[in-house]
Amino acid sequence: MADPRGFLKIRERELPPNRPVEVRLRDWKDTHAHRAEGQAFLKEQAGRCMDCGVPFCHQGCPLGNLIPDWNDLVWRGQWADAIDRLHATNNFPEFTGRVCPAPCESSCVLSINQPAVTIKNVEVSIIDEAFARGLVTPHVPERLTGSTVAVVGSGPAGLAAAQQLTRAGHTVVVYERDDAVGGLLRYGIPDFKLEKLHIDRRLAQMEAEGTRFRAGTTIGKDMSWDALRRRFDAVVVATGATVPRDLPLPGRDLPGIHFAMDYLTPVNHAVRAGTPDVLPEGAPTAAGKHVVIIGGGDTGSDCLGTALRQGAASVTTLAIGKMPPTERPANQPWPTDPILFEVSTSHEEGGERTYLASTVEFLASSEPGAEGNVRALKVAETQYLPDGRRAATPGTEREIPADLVLVAMGFTGPETGVLEEQTGIEITERGLVARGDDYAASLPGVFVAGDAGRGQSLIVWAIAEGRAAAAAADTYLQGSTELPAPVRPRTLALRS
Ligand SMILES: Cc1cc2nc3c(=O)[nH]c(=O)nc-3n(C[C@H](O)[C@H](O)[C@H](O)COP(=O)(O)OP(=O)(O)OC[C@H]3O[C@@H](n4cnc5c(N)ncnc54)[C@H](O)[C@@H]3O)c2cc1C
Ligand code: SF4
């Protein structure tokens, strides 16, 4: 165990500082300072892990990360062993250590009566230190099995599945329809949360291990799903859940109202090209505009940080529900992961947050020059009906000026049309690609991982499912597997 008296000596959490708001708003770089160098407190923080006997954090982390083990190794300064223990359960701690909401910390035993161990920061410090020390090297398989696997989609689920299957000796090709590999890590999540060098250096390791990448290839269009199945011994579908949830209200078609991803993706492309201000013709920008974001989740928060960097005149985020509590409520006791009021780095930077706001209509401008464009939202106060549903309260309507509206209300599921049409694969009632307990789809040799089978979720779940689907595909190909399978999928009813 780490320091046996650590949690008695150090009672507070300590994290590296964020860069000052006025500095970071002038660029698109990471808002945090992560490197372990100069972080004397890291050893102390790792030393607060108290070897509680039943580490609930193992359950709190969907990957089952061996958190007390690596806290101990960091406390001892044994970085090579620490990264080995971390990589034993997590292919990509550089992603989770940066953008995971850290449900592990909610279930930390110390958090019953003290602030939780800074697990996520210890995690990212281990992987950053490992890259800096040259400890992240390719694991080339000792022998090839002769089997081939196609992974469709290169988000965290596809990448985790591909790395596991390549290391098991299969010949793996990852197909991605975007021009670059990474899924939402690449063109969804902005650089100020996750700089893309973290993806690129991991891809370099994967390429050296033998994984092949084919960006710019849409399966179902450039190659049919059936042709893909004929060409490969197994297929992993990791295509994400990209269909946005809409708000079909009067005025929804007005110019100036966009889905969040239609706003974020071109900006992320422009940042990647090194010219953040040069957007493609017709791409929405927040520069100089009054922006309203509908939806208070991760996507809304990323829109906020992006709009502030573009120089929006104002940004208001609307949430239909109540403001969550700031402290764990009695009905969400330890070790559950409670829904709490969160202040992301983007919220620190500016903007207003409005709760209990039900949008009822989008209003058009009649101003010359902006004629026909959205000019405001009509919003009413949300009321909770006896059956638990939410509705707008009549008579409480007010207008919120907006010349750019971003709809960030989540995603309804994956794009399954072409896949279903070309293969007849089964789809669940919720529109997800159906799979059984072993991640197998309804077609032999086809497996489903990440948001495509689970619905929009988190990176940590995508990695966990990618690893588990890889184990299932390896069993299908080889009859047995030595690959770990951290999680079982949620099995959902099929569409009738
Ligand atoms: C704006 C935003 C911010 C987020 N922030 C966070 C966060 O801070 N923390 C967190 O944990 N989670 C966050 N999430 C959620 C997280 O990004 C996803 O849960 C995760 O990326 C899902 O991984 P995946 O591999 O299943 O799918 P994705 O990352 O969506 O990748 C799927 C890939 O498949 C490709 N594809 C689809 N169809 C085809 C086809 N036919 N042929 C070839 N390629 C195809 C797509 O282009 C895409 O690149 C965020 C999501 C969004 C939208
Ligand atoms: S992946 Fe997320 S839940 Fe797991 S240890 Fe890291 S921060 Fe915690």
Side-chain angles (χ1 to χ4, degrees), residues 57 60-65 67 70 90 96-97 100-105 119-120 123 460:
C57 54
C61 173
L63 285 159
N65 273 353
I67 296 161
W70 37 261
N90 187 355
T96 47
C100 183
C104 54
E105 294 184 4
I119 298 170
K120 179 173 156 182
E123 179 176 17
V460 63

Side-chain angles (χ1 to χ4, degrees), residues 143-335:
R143 62 173 190 94
L144 292 179
T145 61
S147 297
T148 56
V149 185
V151 175
V152 186
S154 68
L159 291 181
Q163 186 166 56
Q164 295 293 95
L165 287 163
T166 302
R167 287 178 175 180
H170 306 300
T171 300
V172 179
V173 184
V174 179
Y175 290 96
E176 170 55 56
R177 66 183 172 189
D178 273 337
D179 63 354
V181 168
L184 286 173
L185 302 170
R186 173 78 65 183
Y187 288 134
I189 298 176
D191 279 49
F192 53 80
K193 261 171 63 182
L194 183 71
E195 287 185 22
K196 306 316 168 201
L197 73 100
H198 302 298
I199 308 174
D200 295 335
R201 63 186 182 181
R202 185 58 77 174
L203 294 180
Q205 183 206 32
M206 291 180 68
E207 271 173 341
E209 288 171 350
T211 307
R212 301 170 195 184
F213 294 99
R214 301 283 179 269
T217 308
T218 305
I219 301 303
K221 187 171 136 231
D222 299 319
M223 189 196 313
S224 76
W225 284 95
D226 266 342
L228 187 81
R229 286 189 62 213
R230 281 195 299 275
R231 199 153 141 187
F232 289 88
D233 299 318
V235 172
V236 178
V237 179
T239 48
T242 44
V243 180
R245 182 167 287 113
D246 205 351
L247 193 57
L249 294 173
R252 170 63 183 88
D253 294 335
L254 294 174
I257 305 174
H258 303 271
F259 284 121
M261 295 311 290
D262 294 339
Y263 168 66
L264 287 176
T265 308
V267 183
N268 289 336
H269 273 269
V271 171
R272 178 161 189 252
T275 50
D277 298 331
V278 184
L279 296 174
E281 179 91 28
T285 173
K289 293 190 180 148
H290 293 286
V291 181
V292 171
I293 300 164
I294 305 177
D298 273 338
T299 309
S301 161
D302 290 353
C303 289
L304 167 63
T306 302
L308 293 172
R309 278 163 184 74
Q310 286 183 326
S314 72
V315 188
T316 308
T317 303
L318 304 183
I320 192 171
K322 292 178 193 149
M323 183 177 147
T326 51
E327 303 224 331
R328 188 190 277 285
N331 64 354
Q332 299 179 62
W334 179 90

Side-chain angles (χ1 to χ4, degrees), residues 57-67 70 86 89-90 92-93 95-107 118-121 123-124 458-461 463:
C57 54
H58 282 194
Q59 265 71 42
C61 173
L63 285 159
N65 273 353
L66 305 168
I67 296 161
W70 37 261
L86 181 50
T89 57
N90 187 355
F92 312 126
F95 307 149
T96 47
R98 286 184 165 78
V99 291
C100 183
C104 54
E105 294 184 4
S106 302
S107 61
T118 56
I119 298 170
K120 179 173 156 182
N121 187 54
E123 179 176 17
V124 79
L458 294 172
I459 290 163
V460 63
W461 278 110
I463 299 172

